[in-house]
Amino acid sequence: MKWYKLKKNYKGIYKKGTRFFVLSESEFIGVKEYALQTKSLAGKIIVSEEELEIYFRLIK
């Protein structure tokens, strides 16, 4: 299972340091999207590959 941690606040919704795990990865016509769930299971988001690189850091 892949775990990510926020490098900086995400659009005023989640704070820096919040941990997420990958629920699913999808690709449609060359555009990758990732569904991420918080460690506490309080929320989930769908981000593009570009947003993943900007806001998140792989921790495991």
Side-chain angles (χ1 to χ4, degrees), residues 20-44:
F20 291 84
F21 60 91
V22 177
L23 286 175
S24 68
E25 300 177 27
S26 66
E27 186 172 357
F28 182 71
I29 309 176
V31 178
K32 280 191 172 182
E33 289 188 335
Y34 298 86
L36 304 172
Q37 176 79 50
T38 60
K39 182 178 180 183
S40 65
L41 305 176
K44 60 183 168 184

Side-chain angles (χ1 to χ4, degrees), residues 11-60:
K11 300 181 180 181
I13 303 170
Y14 296 104
K15 293 183 179 181
K16 177 181 176 178
T18 304
R19 293 180 181 204
F20 291 84
F21 60 91
V22 177
L23 286 175
S24 68
E25 300 177 27
S26 66
E27 186 172 357
F28 182 71
I29 309 176
V31 178
K32 280 191 172 182
E33 289 188 335
Y34 298 86
L36 304 172
Q37 176 79 50
T38 60
K39 182 178 180 183
S40 65
L41 305 176
K44 60 183 168 184
I45 55 175
I46 298 174
V47 297
S48 67
E49 187 173 30
E50 182 180 333
E51 286 178 311
L52 189 73
E53 292 173 5
I54 294 169
Y55 290 101
F56 295 89
R57 178 174 59 98
L58 183 65
I59 55 176
K60 309 190 205 181

